[in-house]
Amino acid sequence: MEYVTPEGFRLDGRRPLEMRQLRAKIGAVAKADGSAVFEVGNTKVIAAVYGPREVQNWSQQLSDKALVRCEYSMANFSTGDRKRKPKGDRRSTEISLVIRQTMEACIMTHLMPRSQIDIFVQVLQADGGTRSACINAASLALADAGIPMSDLVTSCSAGYLNSTPLLDLNYAEDSAGGPDVTVGILPKLNKVTLLQMDSKLPMDIFENVMELATEGCKAIANYLREILQENTQQLEYRRGL
């Protein structure tokens, strides 16, 4: 199947280096300490953060830093697939672990010893790039909760199809079986917190694809900062500051 036309267009009409439209909203869950909805194209994710609060299970309490827990799930209506997925399936457990480890890299856990932070992420609509969308939603929700972070962590994917590097794969491109690289970075610190690849790539092509995903992460970081600034201005306006 041809994923890039001779004219240089993808299946959804984008150019190879073009990202899908981004949308985000803060404060989606009223009872959570912080929450956010993040959308990229037709992929939509909601994240809620509770904490820092007292550790519920004393045996898990850490004396020198906060305990970070993460739970990932997909709504049954998020895909066209009508099979019901069990809540604790392997993929959900693996993605929960990936999100938690990525978030731990940016949260200043040492400032909140003997406490716990719970991150809940749910995919409402899935059209490729769900892992990255979950990380971006969680990052925004943590900022909304006022959790101290060294930087906003952002994530983006890139792939290689029809001998062309492609930014931000949708579901059709993701399912094509080509190499897919997911990157998570701390943009201001210029540090990589996540790097996943599901098949082999020659080193020169891998560097191009990773660079493309990193640029996508930086573009998302700029967008998330704009959303946070707008939210802050609205709060100031409401309080008459």
Side-chain angles (χ1 to χ4, degrees):
M1 186 174 173
E2 196 175 66
Y3 290 93
V4 183
T5 66
E7 293 79 27
F9 290 101
R10 290 154 74 171
L11 295 174
D12 54 8
R14 288 183 292 153
R15 294 283 186 184
L17 309 185
E18 192 178 338
M19 194 181 288
R20 291 174 288 177
Q21 185 182 359
L22 301 175
R23 290 176 297 277
K25 181 189 172 188
I26 288 174
V29 182
K31 289 194 174 180
D33 293 310
S35 59
V37 172
F38 182 83
E39 296 178 58
V40 52
N42 293 324
T43 295
K44 186 174 185 178
V45 174
I46 188 167
V49 170
Y50 295 86
R53 57 185 178 182
E54 192 176 341
V55 179
Q56 292 164 345
N57 186 345
W58 283 93
S59 63
Q60 294 180 326
Q61 182 175 281
L62 303 172
S63 60
D64 57 341
K65 62 180 182 177
L67 170 70
V68 179
R69 302 197 310 177
C70 180
E71 188 178 300
Y72 161 93
S73 62
M74 284 186 80
N76 290 330
F77 53 79
S78 62
T79 63
D81 185 5
R82 291 185 64 85
K83 288 182 198 166
R84 288 197 62 151
K85 294 186 179 73
K87 192 176 180 186
D89 66 313
R90 278 182 65 185
R91 185 173 183 272
S92 296
T93 306
E94 185 239 332
I95 294 178
S96 296
L97 179 65
V98 167
I99 296 169
R100 179 175 67 80
Q101 290 175 337
T102 307
M103 291 300 138
E104 278 181 330
C106 74
I107 299 172
M108 295 180 174
T109 51
H110 63 282
L111 298 178
M112 299 163 284
R114 297 186 178 86
S115 65
Q116 92 178 29
I117 298 165
D118 292 304
I119 304 167
F120 297 93
V121 186
Q122 185 169 45
V123 177
L124 302 178
Q125 266 178 217
D127 184 31
T130 51
R131 196 168 305 202
S132 293
C134 287
I135 290 168
N136 296 327
S139 191
L140 208 49
L142 285 166
D144 183 41
I147 305 288
M149 295 189 285
S150 55
D151 195 0
L152 273 177
V153 61
T154 56
S155 178
C156 189
S157 66
Y160 192 74
L161 289 171
N162 297 148
S163 304
T164 310
L166 302 177
L167 176 64
D168 183 26
L169 304 182
N170 62 25
Y171 181 74
E173 293 165 341
D174 201 9
S175 306
D180 173 19
V181 178
T182 301
V183 177
I185 66 164
L186 300 171
K188 280 189 176 177
L189 301 176
N190 208 24
K191 285 185 178 177
V192 174
T193 60
L194 170 69
L195 179 59
Q196 286 190 312
M197 187 168 70
D198 53 10
S199 55
K200 290 181 180 179
L201 265 177
M203 197 63 193
D204 55 335
I205 297 172
F206 166 72
E207 287 174 355
N208 288 338
V209 172
M210 185 178 170
E211 181 62 32
L212 188 57
T214 304
E215 290 303 313
C217 291
K218 290 176 181 174
I220 291 169
N222 291 334
Y223 177 72
L224 295 189
R225 287 197 187 98
E226 284 175 18
I227 294 295
L228 288 167
Q229 283 170 353
E230 281 174 23
N231 188 60
T232 305
Q233 286 166 0
Q234 286 173 6
L235 288 172
E236 287 176 348
Y237 177 74
R238 285 176 200 155
R239 291 175 182 174
L241 296 173

